[in-house]
Amino acid sequence: MNSTVKLTLLHEDLIEKDIRKDEGKIDGFNIGWPVILSNLKSLLETGNILPAF
């Protein structure tokens, strides 16, 4: 059986310094969520976490 799971993350009440226009940089809140979500995706799909960077 094929199934799909959709996870929506809503991070509210950000302060101005946390908002980055350059998504290629890992600053502010960008340092956390992309890494956490990528690791979660890898764990759920493969059973393994990503190596530390």
Side-chain angles (χ1 to χ4, degrees), residues 34-52:
V35 173
I36 291 168
L37 294 174
S38 290
N39 212 8
L40 177 60
K41 181 178 185 289
S42 181
L43 178 64
L44 294 172
E45 290 178 346
T46 68
N48 297 311
I49 59 172
L50 297 172

Side-chain angles (χ1 to χ4, degrees), residues 4-6 19-20 23 28-29 32 34-35 43:
T4 300
V5 174
K6 179 179 178 180
I19 299 170
R20 293 288 300 187
E23 294 181 14
F29 77 95
V35 173
L43 178 64

Side-chain angles (χ1 to χ4, degrees), residues 20 22-35 53:
R20 293 288 300 187
D22 182 358
E23 294 181 14
K25 299 220 174 179
I26 299 180
D27 278 341
F29 77 95
N30 287 338
I31 197 167
W33 290 123
V35 173
F53 70 96

